[in-house]
Amino acid sequence: YIAPDQLPEAYGGTRCEPDPWCTDYLNPGYDVPPEYYPMNHMATSKENMRRTTVRKASELLVQCDVREPRSVLSWEFVTSDYDIGFGVYHVKENGEKVEVVPVKRRNSHVIPESGFYICEATGTYELKFDNAYNRKRSKELFYTAKILPPDTEALDSAVPGPPLDLPSNG
């Protein structure tokens, strides 16, 4: 709660100054220097990523073959202008797909998305880039995926950044 007498008139309060925006005590802020832009801090540059287009009302599935239990599946991606759905599935031998990272829309056009999943089981894992919800726009996608060996140093070389809502799999 902000008391009306503390809020400038320009913002709906009753504080009356010579300047309704109260710029004498409210700092309007400054331009953010480019070195602080999130896109300038990607672990992998776009030039070293695969580039593709995910058509409107469709999806892209990227298959990764995991041969050793506890291998680390890591990824990083960015879209040019709009968000995209992303999730990870484990494809069992009988063809059944088990969602291991929930598909959610990601604002990868604002901040690059990165994460990893420790694959308890061997087999095929699919990265799903989902644009099925959008019937009007295709998405330009840049992505990379790696499978790292199951050792303690693998996590150090995984794509940096917070995991994407990783479920407990241990």
Side-chain angles (χ1 to χ4, degrees):
Y1 172 75
I2 300 174
D5 65 331
Q6 297 298 309
L7 194 61
E9 285 181 335
Y11 297 112
T14 59
R15 186 164 188 162
C16 189
E17 303 284 332
D19 172 11
W21 295 97
C22 299
T23 55
D24 57 330
Y25 72 92
L26 287 179
N27 186 344
Y30 301 95
D31 290 337
V32 176
E35 61 266 19
Y36 292 108
Y37 294 0
M39 292 299 182
N40 293 341
H41 296 285
M42 292 174 36
T44 309
S45 70
K46 281 185 178 180
E47 292 80 29
N48 295 324
M49 294 179 150
R50 288 184 178 241
R51 178 181 177 227
T52 190
T53 299
V54 182
R55 299 277 173 220
K56 59 186 174 183
S58 69
E59 61 189 31
L60 171 69
L61 299 175
V62 177
Q63 294 190 338
C64 302
D65 187 28
V66 174
R67 298 174 190 229
E68 294 180 75
R70 304 228 9 103
S71 292
V72 178
L73 172 60
S74 68
W75 58 83
E76 183 174 25
F77 65 92
V78 63
T79 49
S80 291
D81 293 316
Y82 304 99
D83 67 349
I84 196 162
F86 176 79
V88 179
Y89 290 88
H90 178 224
V91 183
K92 294 189 173 189
E93 289 182 22
N94 64 4
E96 177 190 0
K97 292 184 180 183
V98 177
E99 187 178 58
V100 295
V101 176
V103 175
K104 288 175 36 177
R105 287 171 67 171
R106 315 291 179 162
N107 288 325
S108 55
H109 62 299
V110 178
I111 295 178
E113 291 282 341
S114 63
F116 63 89
Y117 181 78
I118 299 173
C119 304
E120 296 293 340
T122 60
T124 300
Y125 286 79
E126 284 183 347
L127 304 179
K128 179 178 182 178
F129 296 97
D130 187 6
N131 196 30
Y133 60 89
N134 197 321
R135 306 232 180 261
K136 295 183 179 183
R137 292 188 176 102
S138 295
K139 310 288 174 67
E140 183 180 37
L141 170 69
F142 297 84
Y143 73 92
T144 186
K146 295 188 277 188
I147 299 171
L148 304 167
D151 61 29
T152 55
E153 295 177 18
L155 286 176
D156 294 335
S157 61
V159 174
L164 298 175
D165 301 314
L166 295 177
S168 171
N169 66 333

